Amino acid sequence: RAVVRSWFMRATIHLVDAQDVAWLNALFGPAIERRYRKRWLDIGLTPDLRERCHAALPEILAAGPCTRAQIVAALADRGIVLPPGDPQTPTHMLVSATTAGLVCRASDAGRDTTFTLLERWLPGAAVGPRGDDALAELARRYFTAFSPATAADFVAWSGLAAGPAIDLIRDELGPVDVHGRPGYRLGEVEPAPSIRLLAGFDNYLVGYRHREEMLAASLRPLVC
């Protein structure tokens, strides 16, 4: 339980330090909800239905982690039936509960993902920063890891607006030219002479909007 998989940057699944789960949920949760608000309404996940699901999950998961199918069946037993028609509806219900800070992914059961109560899975986990402090911490970690990088790179990686994030740590950033684009660095940055074989969704590539310096456009179909 030192690391947790959950929906964070760009509403996609990331593996993060358990001590960062709570504040990342609070930071990305509203953005994920805005992103999926129309989709949730289209598939029948109304605010009222999501609230009823959220209220029932603590009792359902009290005995331990459950798979999607088990959760859906337990909701139905309590008179909460998810709308049929879209096979992704159970997952979207759990995305909603996750971004609310209620549940997180637990250990897999064979090929099935299980979900559990966040407070039960990570008792005593750090609350972490909130509000502007959380956004500043995210920006600080991004530019520490990915410098030199541009504002567009931060947006591509995080899915959040770059302006407010950069303004919060501007005093810590140094302006640099990033292959003809204005960008920033945090701390000293030195090239590391090495070669890696990476998957198309590896953070080394996904962390940037413009990737031509790492991967020629003609080679992207072979890698991605």
Side-chain angles (χ1 to χ4, degrees):
R1 303 184 188 186
V3 291
V4 173
R5 287 179 298 156
S6 195
W7 291 277
F8 297 113
M9 289 74 80
R10 307 180 309 281
T12 57
I13 297 171
H14 286 72
L15 187 70
V16 304
D17 190 300
Q19 297 302 307
D20 294 328
V21 171
W23 71 269
L24 287 175
N25 267 341
L27 179 61
F28 286 105
I32 294 173
E33 183 173 357
R34 287 192 300 271
R35 175 173 182 163
Y36 285 127
R37 187 174 294 154
K38 183 179 183 304
R39 174 72 186 280
W40 289 345
L41 289 174
D42 288 344
I43 62 178
L45 281 179
T46 64
D48 175 69
L49 178 56
R50 289 190 285 117
E51 185 175 332
R52 291 170 62 204
C53 290
H54 294 184
L57 284 171
E59 180 182 354
I60 292 171
L61 298 174
C66 295
T67 66
R68 287 178 179 85
Q70 291 168 336
I71 291 171
V72 170
L75 286 170
D77 289 342
R78 289 161 174 78
I80 305 171
V81 179
L82 297 182
D86 191 319
Q88 292 299 313
T89 298
T91 296
H92 278 284
M93 182 275 294
L94 287 163
V95 171
S96 172
T98 298
T99 57
L102 181 61
V103 304
C104 68
R105 289 175 176 239
S107 302
D108 289 345
R111 298 183 64 180
D112 293 324
T113 300
T114 71
F115 295 83
T116 189
L117 296 175
L118 178 60
E119 63 181 14
R120 180 181 294 267
W121 192 248
L122 301 175
V127 173
R130 287 292 190 272
D132 283 351
D133 290 340
L135 185 58
E137 179 63 15
L138 185 77
R140 187 176 295 114
R141 293 191 187 192
Y142 173 78
F143 284 102
T144 298
F146 290 96
S147 291
T150 67
D153 292 332
F154 177 81
V155 173
W157 174 79
S158 69
L160 303 177
I166 290 172
D167 285 344
L168 288 169
I169 63 166
R170 191 173 295 277
D171 291 346
E172 303 172 42
L173 297 173
V176 293
D177 179 271
V178 184
H179 311 298
R181 303 180 185 92
Y184 308 91
R185 65 170 175 80
L186 199 159
E188 297 301 319
V189 179
E190 294 294 336
S194 59
I195 296 175
R196 299 285 188 267
L197 297 176
L198 303 174
F201 289 101
D202 188 273
N203 233 8
Y204 181 69
L205 296 177
V206 177
Y208 300 95
R209 172 66 180 85
H210 302 284
R211 304 164 188 170
E212 292 81 0
E213 295 301 320
M214 293 91 75
L215 179 64
S218 61
L219 297 179
R220 278 196 72 178
L222 299 177
V223 173
C224 300

